[in-house]
Amino acid sequence: MVITLRIFLIVCILIYLLIILNLLRKKNLNLRYTLVWLLSGVIMMVVCIFPDLLFEFARFIGVVDPVNMVFMVEGMFILIILLSLTTIASHSNDKIRKLTQTIALLERRIRKLEEGQQAQDLQEEEKCP
Amino acid sequence: MKVLIIIPAFNEEESLCNVVKNLKSAAPDVDYLIVNDCSTDRTEALCQEHDFNYITFPVNLGIGGGVQAGYLYAVENGYDVAIQMDGDGQHDPNYIKDVIKPIQDGTADMVIGSRFITKDGFQSSAMRRLGIGFLKFLIRICCGTTVNDTTSGFRATSRSLTKFFAKNYAQDYPEPEAIIAAVLEGYRVTEVPVIMHERQGGESSINALKSIYYMIKVSLAILIYRLGNLKKKG
């Protein structure tokens, strides 16, 4: 890999990691859901500093141009991150459903209680005007 | 036997009053619960005006989430049988005693009201029957149980199955998936003949375009459920 490309990629990854850390610091990101982002950044960084690791592997599986391997790894990370996002969305969906059902059942109980209370109040008013 | 009728309702202002009126005259000794799934029409206002027993969702959850809330209510209030009955007038409350009977006798945990046993009354379109037939085939090869009216929303569940569904229930298009879930969990599923009517008002939740999506989604759900429970009988 050309040295200029390596420097360019390392700078990009550094900026990327800084953005994530800054978002974490400002609590715009939940660390639980950010680990996969950080991990991808760190691995990319390792690959840029020691490119021979990746290129050996590229040659082994038959990728002709080693730089393509970098893009392929990037693409894989994006897929994994998207999948983890879908998992998170599914979990949130389950929680929202459960909350909605609970709210609806509680709302009915409150309504019934209030109706009973109103009836009681009316009775008491009639007794002692 | 404490019996609860769960009536999921999404934009059913045209038919809901009739459904409840027919229900009260046909089966005066059962309780009912209307689940208003965040309707955009006057469904909730009607429930208030007529003092129906109802719960209402602040956001739309779809039929599965609605029916499941009914199951939760049934568990909370200790009902022996929970019956799902659509809010559009397709299901005749005169058959309630028929769908309860196998549970009362202790011979089944889930009883599905089927329009295809005696083949009387509203039979749905040929395309739909084809889809329902395919799901019947799929459920039979996946768990060995034959259910003719796989998409029927007129069904009764015993206390233990209601408890299970209160915890696990598919969110959209849940009817066929609920059958395979019940069978694989070891519950006994049976069918009784009923006569269904054409819907009195509102629109079906499944239109022509959505039906392909429906078939793919439901078939996949059944297969995945089977794969997730490989060790269970079937």
Side-chain angles (χ1 to χ4, degrees), chain A residues 93-94 96-105 107-109 111-112 115, chain B residues 33 51 53-59 61 65 68-69 72-73 76 169 171:
Chain A
N93 192 37
D94 277 353
I96 290 171
R97 180 181 60 182
K98 187 88 196 126
L99 285 173
T100 308
Q101 290 166 340
T102 312
I103 287 175
L105 290 169
E107 189 267 342
R108 182 190 155 275
R109 280 170 69 178
R111 194 175 350 112
K112 294 282 165 198
E115 276 167 18
Chain B
L33 176 76
D51 201 23
N53 186 32
Y54 74 98
I55 60 173
T56 193
F57 287 162
V59 293
L61 284 189
Q68 193 180 32
L72 283 166
Y73 178 90
E76 255 179 34
Y169 203 63
Q171 208 164 354

PDB file of all heavy atoms in Angstrom, chain A residues 93-94 96-105 107-109 111-112 115, chain B residues 33 51 53-59 61 65 68-69 72-73 76 169 171:
ATOM      1  N   ASN A  93     -38.491  -2.327  19.930  1.00  0.00           N
ATOM      2  CA  ASN A  93     -39.849  -2.592  19.493  1.00  0.00           C
ATOM      3  C   ASN A  93     -40.606  -3.437  20.515  1.00  0.00           C
ATOM      4  O   ASN A  93     -41.739  -3.132  20.887  1.00  0.00           O
ATOM      5  CB  ASN A  93     -39.757  -3.322  18.148  1.00  0.00           C
ATOM      6  CG  ASN A  93     -41.068  -3.400  17.455  1.00  0.00           C
ATOM      7  OD1 ASN A  93     -41.837  -2.445  17.523  1.00  0.00           O
ATOM      8  ND2 ASN A  93     -41.350  -4.507  16.825  1.00  0.00           N
ATOM      9  N   ASP A  94     -39.946  -4.500  21.006  1.00  0.00           N
ATOM     10  CA  ASP A  94     -40.568  -5.367  22.011  1.00  0.00           C
ATOM     11  C   ASP A  94     -40.893  -4.588  23.275  1.00  0.00           C
ATOM     12  O   ASP A  94     -41.956  -4.759  23.873  1.00  0.00           O
ATOM     13  CB  ASP A  94     -39.621  -6.511  22.375  1.00  0.00           C
ATOM     14  CG  ASP A  94     -39.723  -7.650  21.383  1.00  0.00           C
ATOM     15  OD1 ASP A  94     -40.610  -7.582  20.526  1.00  0.00           O
ATOM     16  OD2 ASP A  94     -38.916  -8.582  21.476  1.00  0.00           O
ATOM     17  N   ILE A  96     -41.365  -1.335  23.579  1.00  0.00           N
ATOM     18  CA  ILE A  96     -42.447  -0.369  23.345  1.00  0.00           C
ATOM     19  C   ILE A  96     -43.802  -1.085  23.371  1.00  0.00           C
ATOM     20  O   ILE A  96     -44.769  -0.593  23.935  1.00  0.00           O
ATOM     21  CB  ILE A  96     -42.242   0.358  22.000  1.00  0.00           C
ATOM     22  CG1 ILE A  96     -41.042   1.288  22.097  1.00  0.00           C
ATOM     23  CG2 ILE A  96     -43.481   1.140  21.612  1.00  0.00           C
ATOM     24  CD1 ILE A  96     -40.628   1.893  20.784  1.00  0.00           C
ATOM     25  N   ARG A  97     -43.845  -2.272  22.759  1.00  0.00           N
ATOM     26  CA  ARG A  97     -45.104  -3.014  22.754  1.00  0.00           C
ATOM     27  C   ARG A  97     -45.556  -3.319  24.183  1.00  0.00           C
ATOM     28  O   ARG A  97     -46.698  -3.079  24.556  1.00  0.00           O
ATOM     29  CB  ARG A  97     -44.934  -4.317  21.966  1.00  0.00           C
ATOM     30  CG  ARG A  97     -46.222  -5.119  21.939  1.00  0.00           C
ATOM     31  CD  ARG A  97     -46.065  -6.401  21.209  1.00  0.00           C
ATOM     32  NE  ARG A  97     -45.049  -7.235  21.843  1.00  0.00           N
ATOM     33  CZ  ARG A  97     -44.674  -8.408  21.377  1.00  0.00           C
ATOM     34  NH1 ARG A  97     -45.178  -8.870  20.279  1.00  0.00           N
ATOM     35  NH2 ARG A  97     -43.769  -9.112  22.016  1.00  0.00           N
ATOM     36  N   LYS A  98     -44.608  -3.829  24.970  1.00  0.00           N
ATOM     37  CA  LYS A  98     -44.941  -4.189  26.347  1.00  0.00           C
ATOM     38  C   LYS A  98     -45.413  -2.946  27.127  1.00  0.00           C
ATOM     39  O   LYS A  98     -46.394  -2.994  27.867  1.00  0.00           O
ATOM     40  CB  LYS A  98     -43.677  -4.782  26.990  1.00  0.00           C
ATOM     41  CG  LYS A  98     -43.868  -5.358  28.364  1.00  0.00           C
ATOM     42  CD  LYS A  98     -44.293  -6.805  28.290  1.00  0.00           C
ATOM     43  CE  LYS A  98     -44.834  -7.208  29.643  1.00  0.00           C
ATOM     44  NZ  LYS A  98     -46.107  -7.758  29.715  1.00  0.00           N
ATOM     45  N   LEU A  99     -44.708  -1.834  26.935  1.00  0.00           N
ATOM     46  CA  LEU A  99     -45.074  -0.600  27.629  1.00  0.00           C
ATOM     47  C   LEU A  99     -46.461  -0.124  27.211  1.00  0.00           C
ATOM     48  O   LEU A  99     -47.278   0.265  28.050  1.00  0.00           O
ATOM     49  CB  LEU A  99     -44.049   0.500  27.327  1.00  0.00           C
ATOM     50  CG  LEU A  99     -42.706   0.380  28.036  1.00  0.00           C
ATOM     51  CD1 LEU A  99     -41.751   1.430  27.524  1.00  0.00           C
ATOM     52  CD2 LEU A  99     -42.900   0.542  29.530  1.00  0.00           C
ATOM     53  N   THR A 100     -46.722  -0.175  25.897  1.00  0.00           N
ATOM     54  CA  THR A 100     -48.018   0.278  25.394  1.00  0.00           C
ATOM     55  C   THR A 100     -49.147  -0.542  26.004  1.00  0.00           C
ATOM     56  O   THR A 100     -50.168   0.005  26.451  1.00  0.00           O
ATOM     57  CB  THR A 100     -48.051   0.148  23.857  1.00  0.00           C
ATOM     58  OG1 THR A 100     -46.912   0.804  23.329  1.00  0.00           O
ATOM     59  CG2 THR A 100     -49.311   0.754  23.284  1.00  0.00           C
ATOM     60  N   GLN A 101     -48.936  -1.866  26.043  1.00  0.00           N
ATOM     61  CA  GLN A 101     -49.976  -2.736  26.605  1.00  0.00           C
ATOM     62  C   GLN A 101     -50.186  -2.441  28.091  1.00  0.00           C
ATOM     63  O   GLN A 101     -51.315  -2.353  28.569  1.00  0.00           O
ATOM     64  CB  GLN A 101     -49.587  -4.205  26.406  1.00  0.00           C
ATOM     65  CG  GLN A 101     -49.655  -4.626  24.954  1.00  0.00           C
ATOM     66  CD  GLN A 101     -48.966  -5.942  24.690  1.00  0.00           C
ATOM     67  OE1 GLN A 101     -48.137  -6.382  25.466  1.00  0.00           O
ATOM     68  NE2 GLN A 101     -49.299  -6.568  23.583  1.00  0.00           N
ATOM     69  N   THR A 102     -49.080  -2.255  28.805  1.00  0.00           N
ATOM     70  CA  THR A 102     -49.197  -1.986  30.242  1.00  0.00           C
ATOM     71  C   THR A 102     -49.904  -0.661  30.485  1.00  0.00           C
ATOM     72  O   THR A 102     -50.791  -0.561  31.342  1.00  0.00           O
ATOM     73  CB  THR A 102     -47.794  -1.954  30.892  1.00  0.00           C
ATOM     74  OG1 THR A 102     -47.088  -3.098  30.456  1.00  0.00           O
ATOM     75  CG2 THR A 102     -47.889  -1.946  32.395  1.00  0.00           C
ATOM     76  N   ILE A 103     -49.537   0.365  29.710  1.00  0.00           N
ATOM     77  CA  ILE A 103     -50.179   1.676  29.864  1.00  0.00           C
ATOM     78  C   ILE A 103     -51.677   1.549  29.620  1.00  0.00           C
ATOM     79  O   ILE A 103     -52.491   2.076  30.382  1.00  0.00           O
ATOM     80  CB  ILE A 103     -49.567   2.694  28.880  1.00  0.00           C
ATOM     81  CG1 ILE A 103     -48.175   3.084  29.331  1.00  0.00           C
ATOM     82  CG2 ILE A 103     -50.451   3.936  28.772  1.00  0.00           C
ATOM     83  CD1 ILE A 103     -47.455   3.990  28.355  1.00  0.00           C
ATOM     84  N   ALA A 104     -52.039   0.819  28.552  1.00  0.00           N
ATOM     85  CA  ALA A 104     -53.458   0.698  28.214  1.00  0.00           C
ATOM     86  C   ALA A 104     -54.234   0.025  29.351  1.00  0.00           C
ATOM     87  O   ALA A 104     -55.329   0.452  29.714  1.00  0.00           O
ATOM     88  CB  ALA A 104     -53.617  -0.071  26.912  1.00  0.00           C
ATOM     89  N   LEU A 105     -53.624  -1.051  29.916  1.00  0.00           N
ATOM     90  CA  LEU A 105     -54.321  -1.758  31.005  1.00  0.00           C
ATOM     91  C   LEU A 105     -54.421  -0.872  32.242  1.00  0.00           C
ATOM     92  O   LEU A 105     -55.456  -0.845  32.917  1.00  0.00           O
ATOM     93  CB  LEU A 105     -53.592  -3.064  31.326  1.00  0.00           C
ATOM     94  CG  LEU A 105     -53.705  -4.146  30.248  1.00  0.00           C
ATOM     95  CD1 LEU A 105     -52.748  -5.291  30.529  1.00  0.00           C
ATOM     96  CD2 LEU A 105     -55.130  -4.675  30.161  1.00  0.00           C
ATOM     97  N   GLU A 107     -54.403   2.417  32.281  1.00  0.00           N
ATOM     98  CA  GLU A 107     -55.318   3.524  31.984  1.00  0.00           C
ATOM     99  C   GLU A 107     -56.771   3.101  32.262  1.00  0.00           C
ATOM    100  O   GLU A 107     -57.557   3.864  32.819  1.00  0.00           O
ATOM    101  CB  GLU A 107     -55.143   3.961  30.524  1.00  0.00           C
ATOM    102  CG  GLU A 107     -55.866   5.228  30.145  1.00  0.00           C
ATOM    103  CD  GLU A 107     -57.244   4.970  29.566  1.00  0.00           C
ATOM    104  OE1 GLU A 107     -57.532   3.832  29.131  1.00  0.00           O
ATOM    105  OE2 GLU A 107     -58.042   5.918  29.547  1.00  0.00           O
ATOM    106  N   ARG A 108     -57.074   1.849  31.897  1.00  0.00           N
ATOM    107  CA  ARG A 108     -58.426   1.360  32.139  1.00  0.00           C
ATOM    108  C   ARG A 108     -58.721   1.293  33.641  1.00  0.00           C
ATOM    109  O   ARG A 108     -59.801   1.668  34.099  1.00  0.00           O
ATOM    110  CB  ARG A 108     -58.618  -0.013  31.513  1.00  0.00           C
ATOM    111  CG  ARG A 108     -60.019  -0.558  31.688  1.00  0.00           C
ATOM    112  CD  ARG A 108     -60.147  -2.000  31.297  1.00  0.00           C
ATOM    113  NE  ARG A 108     -61.275  -2.562  32.020  1.00  0.00           N
ATOM    114  CZ  ARG A 108     -61.193  -3.049  33.246  1.00  0.00           C
ATOM    115  NH1 ARG A 108     -60.043  -3.055  33.888  1.00  0.00           N
ATOM    116  NH2 ARG A 108     -62.272  -3.526  33.847  1.00  0.00           N
ATOM    117  N   ARG A 109     -57.713   0.828  34.402  1.00  0.00           N
ATOM    118  CA  ARG A 109     -57.929   0.714  35.853  1.00  0.00           C
ATOM    119  C   ARG A 109     -58.116   2.084  36.485  1.00  0.00           C
ATOM    120  O   ARG A 109     -58.972   2.268  37.349  1.00  0.00           O
ATOM    121  CB  ARG A 109     -56.747  -0.020  36.495  1.00  0.00           C
ATOM    122  CG  ARG A 109     -56.871  -1.520  36.311  1.00  0.00           C
ATOM    123  CD  ARG A 109     -55.636  -2.241  36.704  1.00  0.00           C
ATOM    124  NE  ARG A 109     -55.373  -2.222  38.128  1.00  0.00           N
ATOM    125  CZ  ARG A 109     -54.335  -2.836  38.684  1.00  0.00           C
ATOM    126  NH1 ARG A 109     -53.493  -3.486  37.929  1.00  0.00           N
ATOM    127  NH2 ARG A 109     -54.166  -2.782  39.975  1.00  0.00           N
ATOM    128  N   ARG A 111     -59.289   4.722  34.999  1.00  0.00           N
ATOM    129  CA  ARG A 111     -60.604   5.203  34.560  1.00  0.00           C
ATOM    130  C   ARG A 111     -61.696   4.626  35.458  1.00  0.00           C
ATOM    131  O   ARG A 111     -62.582   5.336  35.930  1.00  0.00           O
ATOM    132  CB  ARG A 111     -60.816   4.794  33.097  1.00  0.00           C
ATOM    133  CG  ARG A 111     -61.956   5.498  32.450  1.00  0.00           C
ATOM    134  CD  ARG A 111     -62.115   5.185  30.953  1.00  0.00           C
ATOM    135  NE  ARG A 111     -61.076   4.457  30.279  1.00  0.00           N
ATOM    136  CZ  ARG A 111     -61.230   3.211  29.814  1.00  0.00           C
ATOM    137  NH1 ARG A 111     -62.357   2.550  30.029  1.00  0.00           N
ATOM    138  NH2 ARG A 111     -60.250   2.629  29.159  1.00  0.00           N
ATOM    139  N   LYS A 112     -61.606   3.306  35.724  1.00  0.00           N
ATOM    140  CA  LYS A 112     -62.613   2.653  36.565  1.00  0.00           C
ATOM    141  C   LYS A 112     -62.579   3.217  37.986  1.00  0.00           C
ATOM    142  O   LYS A 112     -63.618   3.449  38.603  1.00  0.00           O
ATOM    143  CB  LYS A 112     -62.391   1.137  36.593  1.00  0.00           C
ATOM    144  CG  LYS A 112     -62.611   0.463  35.267  1.00  0.00           C
ATOM    145  CD  LYS A 112     -64.084   0.278  34.983  1.00  0.00           C
ATOM    146  CE  LYS A 112     -64.284  -0.052  33.506  1.00  0.00           C
ATOM    147  NZ  LYS A 112     -65.635   0.144  33.028  1.00  0.00           N
ATOM    148  N   GLU A 115     -64.155   6.614  38.031  1.00  0.00           N
ATOM    149  CA  GLU A 115     -65.609   6.495  37.941  1.00  0.00           C
ATOM    150  C   GLU A 115     -66.193   6.134  39.303  1.00  0.00           C
ATOM    151  O   GLU A 115     -67.178   6.717  39.754  1.00  0.00           O
ATOM    152  CB  GLU A 115     -66.002   5.441  36.902  1.00  0.00           C
ATOM    153  CG  GLU A 115     -66.020   5.989  35.496  1.00  0.00           C
ATOM    154  CD  GLU A 115     -66.106   4.883  34.452  1.00  0.00           C
ATOM    155  OE1 GLU A 115     -66.484   3.737  34.811  1.00  0.00           O
ATOM    156  OE2 GLU A 115     -65.783   5.153  33.286  1.00  0.00           O
TER     157      GLU A 115
ATOM    158  N   LEU B  33     -63.773  -7.446  26.261  1.00  0.00           N
ATOM    159  CA  LEU B  33     -62.833  -6.326  26.343  1.00  0.00           C
ATOM    160  C   LEU B  33     -62.535  -5.868  24.920  1.00  0.00           C
ATOM    161  O   LEU B  33     -62.105  -6.657  24.083  1.00  0.00           O
ATOM    162  CB  LEU B  33     -61.526  -6.755  27.021  1.00  0.00           C
ATOM    163  CG  LEU B  33     -60.432  -5.682  27.066  1.00  0.00           C
ATOM    164  CD1 LEU B  33     -60.732  -4.640  28.125  1.00  0.00           C
ATOM    165  CD2 LEU B  33     -59.064  -6.299  27.322  1.00  0.00           C
ATOM    166  N   ASP B  51     -70.265   3.326  27.169  1.00  0.00           N
ATOM    167  CA  ASP B  51     -69.746   2.733  28.392  1.00  0.00           C
ATOM    168  C   ASP B  51     -69.346   1.268  28.202  1.00  0.00           C
ATOM    169  O   ASP B  51     -69.643   0.409  29.022  1.00  0.00           O
ATOM    170  CB  ASP B  51     -70.793   2.860  29.522  1.00  0.00           C
ATOM    171  CG  ASP B  51     -70.122   2.749  30.885  1.00  0.00           C
ATOM    172  OD1 ASP B  51     -68.910   3.012  30.971  1.00  0.00           O
ATOM    173  OD2 ASP B  51     -70.819   2.382  31.848  1.00  0.00           O
ATOM    174  N   ASN B  53     -66.609  -1.854  27.933  1.00  0.00           N
ATOM    175  CA  ASN B  53     -65.372  -2.163  28.636  1.00  0.00           C
ATOM    176  C   ASN B  53     -64.245  -2.181  27.603  1.00  0.00           C
ATOM    177  O   ASN B  53     -64.212  -3.041  26.737  1.00  0.00           O
ATOM    178  CB  ASN B  53     -65.486  -3.531  29.323  1.00  0.00           C
ATOM    179  CG  ASN B  53     -64.287  -3.828  30.193  1.00  0.00           C
ATOM    180  OD1 ASN B  53     -63.696  -2.924  30.760  1.00  0.00           O
ATOM    181  ND2 ASN B  53     -63.914  -5.090  30.258  1.00  0.00           N
ATOM    182  N   TYR B  54     -63.350  -1.209  27.687  1.00  0.00           N
ATOM    183  CA  TYR B  54     -62.326  -1.118  26.640  1.00  0.00           C
ATOM    184  C   TYR B  54     -60.994  -0.661  27.211  1.00  0.00           C
ATOM    185  O   TYR B  54     -60.920  -0.078  28.291  1.00  0.00           O
ATOM    186  CB  TYR B  54     -62.766  -0.147  25.545  1.00  0.00           C
ATOM    187  CG  TYR B  54     -62.699   1.311  25.941  1.00  0.00           C
ATOM    188  CD1 TYR B  54     -61.600   2.090  25.578  1.00  0.00           C
ATOM    189  CD2 TYR B  54     -63.699   1.912  26.693  1.00  0.00           C
ATOM    190  CE1 TYR B  54     -61.520   3.426  25.950  1.00  0.00           C
ATOM    191  CE2 TYR B  54     -63.624   3.241  27.064  1.00  0.00           C
ATOM    192  CZ  TYR B  54     -62.539   3.993  26.692  1.00  0.00           C
ATOM    193  OH  TYR B  54     -62.454   5.308  27.067  1.00  0.00           O
ATOM    194  N   ILE B  55     -59.926  -0.976  26.470  1.00  0.00           N
ATOM    195  CA  ILE B  55     -58.631  -0.343  26.722  1.00  0.00           C
ATOM    196  C   ILE B  55     -58.224   0.325  25.415  1.00  0.00           C
ATOM    197  O   ILE B  55     -58.699  -0.053  24.339  1.00  0.00           O
ATOM    198  CB  ILE B  55     -57.534  -1.331  27.178  1.00  0.00           C
ATOM    199  CG1 ILE B  55     -57.288  -2.404  26.126  1.00  0.00           C
ATOM    200  CG2 ILE B  55     -57.869  -1.946  28.502  1.00  0.00           C
ATOM    201  CD1 ILE B  55     -56.108  -3.300  26.450  1.00  0.00           C
ATOM    202  N   THR B  56     -57.364   1.313  25.508  1.00  0.00           N
ATOM    203  CA  THR B  56     -56.988   2.034  24.303  1.00  0.00           C
ATOM    204  C   THR B  56     -55.480   2.267  24.280  1.00  0.00           C
ATOM    205  O   THR B  56     -54.879   2.583  25.300  1.00  0.00           O
ATOM    206  CB  THR B  56     -57.800   3.350  24.212  1.00  0.00           C
ATOM    207  OG1 THR B  56     -57.648   3.887  22.919  1.00  0.00           O
ATOM    208  CG2 THR B  56     -57.385   4.370  25.256  1.00  0.00           C
ATOM    209  N   PHE B  57     -54.864   2.026  23.112  1.00  0.00           N
ATOM    210  CA  PHE B  57     -53.412   2.185  22.985  1.00  0.00           C
ATOM    211  C   PHE B  57     -53.054   3.619  22.596  1.00  0.00           C
ATOM    212  O   PHE B  57     -53.715   4.197  21.747  1.00  0.00           O
ATOM    213  CB  PHE B  57     -52.864   1.248  21.898  1.00  0.00           C
ATOM    214  CG  PHE B  57     -52.834  -0.198  22.274  1.00  0.00           C
ATOM    215  CD1 PHE B  57     -52.728  -1.177  21.303  1.00  0.00           C
ATOM    216  CD2 PHE B  57     -52.893  -0.590  23.598  1.00  0.00           C
ATOM    217  CE1 PHE B  57     -52.698  -2.519  21.638  1.00  0.00           C
ATOM    218  CE2 PHE B  57     -52.857  -1.932  23.944  1.00  0.00           C
ATOM    219  CZ  PHE B  57     -52.769  -2.896  22.960  1.00  0.00           C
ATOM    220  N   PRO B  58     -51.987   4.161  23.191  1.00  0.00           N
ATOM    221  CA  PRO B  58     -51.523   5.488  22.754  1.00  0.00           C
ATOM    222  C   PRO B  58     -50.798   5.454  21.410  1.00  0.00           C
ATOM    223  O   PRO B  58     -50.687   6.467  20.753  1.00  0.00           O
ATOM    224  CB  PRO B  58     -50.568   5.926  23.872  1.00  0.00           C
ATOM    225  CG  PRO B  58     -50.153   4.678  24.549  1.00  0.00           C
ATOM    226  CD  PRO B  58     -51.233   3.667  24.355  1.00  0.00           C
ATOM    227  N   VAL B  59     -50.278   4.289  21.007  1.00  0.00           N
ATOM    228  CA  VAL B  59     -49.667   4.141  19.678  1.00  0.00           C
ATOM    229  C   VAL B  59     -50.229   2.869  19.039  1.00  0.00           C
ATOM    230  O   VAL B  59     -50.729   1.995  19.728  1.00  0.00           O
ATOM    231  CB  VAL B  59     -48.119   4.025  19.755  1.00  0.00           C
ATOM    232  CG1 VAL B  59     -47.504   5.311  20.238  1.00  0.00           C
ATOM    233  CG2 VAL B  59     -47.714   2.875  20.649  1.00  0.00           C
ATOM    234  N   LEU B  61     -50.220  -0.686  17.538  1.00  0.00           N
ATOM    235  CA  LEU B  61     -49.343  -1.849  17.689  1.00  0.00           C
ATOM    236  C   LEU B  61     -49.609  -2.931  16.658  1.00  0.00           C
ATOM    237  O   LEU B  61     -48.799  -3.813  16.462  1.00  0.00           O
ATOM    238  CB  LEU B  61     -49.517  -2.480  19.078  1.00  0.00           C
ATOM    239  CG  LEU B  61     -48.890  -1.786  20.281  1.00  0.00           C
ATOM    240  CD1 LEU B  61     -48.989  -2.687  21.476  1.00  0.00           C
ATOM    241  CD2 LEU B  61     -47.455  -1.430  20.011  1.00  0.00           C
ATOM    242  N   GLY B  65     -50.271  -7.254  18.836  1.00  0.00           N
ATOM    243  CA  GLY B  65     -50.106  -6.548  20.099  1.00  0.00           C
ATOM    244  C   GLY B  65     -51.434  -6.294  20.788  1.00  0.00           C
ATOM    245  O   GLY B  65     -51.527  -6.348  22.018  1.00  0.00           O
ATOM    246  N   GLN B  68     -52.727  -9.593  22.224  1.00  0.00           N
ATOM    247  CA  GLN B  68     -51.888  -9.963  23.370  1.00  0.00           C
ATOM    248  C   GLN B  68     -52.255  -9.158  24.615  1.00  0.00           C
ATOM    249  O   GLN B  68     -52.250  -9.691  25.724  1.00  0.00           O
ATOM    250  CB  GLN B  68     -50.418  -9.767  23.019  1.00  0.00           C
ATOM    251  CG  GLN B  68     -49.507 -10.419  24.030  1.00  0.00           C
ATOM    252  CD  GLN B  68     -48.040 -10.243  23.692  1.00  0.00           C
ATOM    253  OE1 GLN B  68     -47.651  -9.234  23.114  1.00  0.00           O
ATOM    254  NE2 GLN B  68     -47.241 -11.220  24.047  1.00  0.00           N
ATOM    255  N   ALA B  69     -52.585  -7.869  24.419  1.00  0.00           N
ATOM    256  CA  ALA B  69     -53.030  -7.068  25.564  1.00  0.00           C
ATOM    257  C   ALA B  69     -54.289  -7.688  26.170  1.00  0.00           C
ATOM    258  O   ALA B  69     -54.449  -7.714  27.391  1.00  0.00           O
ATOM    259  CB  ALA B  69     -53.291  -5.631  25.135  1.00  0.00           C
ATOM    260  N   LEU B  72     -53.197 -10.530  28.261  1.00  0.00           N
ATOM    261  CA  LEU B  72     -52.640 -10.026  29.531  1.00  0.00           C
ATOM    262  C   LEU B  72     -53.774  -9.696  30.498  1.00  0.00           C
ATOM    263  O   LEU B  72     -53.717 -10.022  31.684  1.00  0.00           O
ATOM    264  CB  LEU B  72     -51.801  -8.771  29.269  1.00  0.00           C
ATOM    265  CG  LEU B  72     -50.408  -8.991  28.681  1.00  0.00           C
ATOM    266  CD1 LEU B  72     -49.831  -7.680  28.162  1.00  0.00           C
ATOM    267  CD2 LEU B  72     -49.489  -9.591  29.728  1.00  0.00           C
ATOM    268  N   TYR B  73     -54.814  -9.048  29.972  1.00  0.00           N
ATOM    269  CA  TYR B  73     -55.972  -8.683  30.788  1.00  0.00           C
ATOM    270  C   TYR B  73     -56.639  -9.954  31.330  1.00  0.00           C
ATOM    271  O   TYR B  73     -57.012 -10.025  32.514  1.00  0.00           O
ATOM    272  CB  TYR B  73     -56.947  -7.879  29.931  1.00  0.00           C
ATOM    273  CG  TYR B  73     -58.228  -7.461  30.601  1.00  0.00           C
ATOM    274  CD1 TYR B  73     -58.314  -6.252  31.282  1.00  0.00           C
ATOM    275  CD2 TYR B  73     -59.368  -8.265  30.541  1.00  0.00           C
ATOM    276  CE1 TYR B  73     -59.491  -5.850  31.888  1.00  0.00           C
ATOM    277  CE2 TYR B  73     -60.549  -7.879  31.142  1.00  0.00           C
ATOM    278  CZ  TYR B  73     -60.608  -6.666  31.815  1.00  0.00           C
ATOM    279  OH  TYR B  73     -61.779  -6.281  32.409  1.00  0.00           O
ATOM    280  N   GLU B  76     -54.472 -11.339  34.126  1.00  0.00           N
ATOM    281  CA  GLU B  76     -54.571 -10.475  35.308  1.00  0.00           C
ATOM    282  C   GLU B  76     -55.875 -10.704  36.070  1.00  0.00           C
ATOM    283  O   GLU B  76     -55.910 -10.630  37.290  1.00  0.00           O
ATOM    284  CB  GLU B  76     -54.540  -9.003  34.876  1.00  0.00           C
ATOM    285  CG  GLU B  76     -53.222  -8.301  35.146  1.00  0.00           C
ATOM    286  CD  GLU B  76     -53.246  -6.863  34.668  1.00  0.00           C
ATOM    287  OE1 GLU B  76     -54.317  -6.219  34.726  1.00  0.00           O
ATOM    288  OE2 GLU B  76     -52.201  -6.384  34.216  1.00  0.00           O
ATOM    289  N   TYR B 169     -46.278 -13.685  21.644  1.00  0.00           N
ATOM    290  CA  TYR B 169     -47.296 -13.635  20.598  1.00  0.00           C
ATOM    291  C   TYR B 169     -46.751 -12.800  19.453  1.00  0.00           C
ATOM    292  O   TYR B 169     -46.159 -11.750  19.679  1.00  0.00           O
ATOM    293  CB  TYR B 169     -48.592 -13.019  21.146  1.00  0.00           C
ATOM    294  CG  TYR B 169     -49.828 -13.414  20.376  1.00  0.00           C
ATOM    295  CD1 TYR B 169     -50.223 -14.745  20.323  1.00  0.00           C
ATOM    296  CD2 TYR B 169     -50.584 -12.469  19.699  1.00  0.00           C
ATOM    297  CE1 TYR B 169     -51.351 -15.121  19.618  1.00  0.00           C
ATOM    298  CE2 TYR B 169     -51.720 -12.840  18.997  1.00  0.00           C
ATOM    299  CZ  TYR B 169     -52.098 -14.168  18.966  1.00  0.00           C
ATOM    300  OH  TYR B 169     -53.216 -14.535  18.256  1.00  0.00           O
ATOM    301  N   GLN B 171     -46.406 -10.241  16.371  1.00  0.00           N
ATOM    302  CA  GLN B 171     -46.990  -8.915  16.376  1.00  0.00           C
ATOM    303  C   GLN B 171     -47.893  -8.614  15.183  1.00  0.00           C
ATOM    304  O   GLN B 171     -48.998  -8.140  15.359  1.00  0.00           O
ATOM    305  CB  GLN B 171     -45.890  -7.863  16.479  1.00  0.00           C
ATOM    306  CG  GLN B 171     -46.411  -6.625  17.160  1.00  0.00           C
ATOM    307  CD  GLN B 171     -45.287  -5.724  17.626  1.00  0.00           C
ATOM    308  OE1 GLN B 171     -44.114  -6.056  17.541  1.00  0.00           O
ATOM    309  NE2 GLN B 171     -45.646  -4.560  18.105  1.00  0.00           N
TER     310      GLN B 171
END
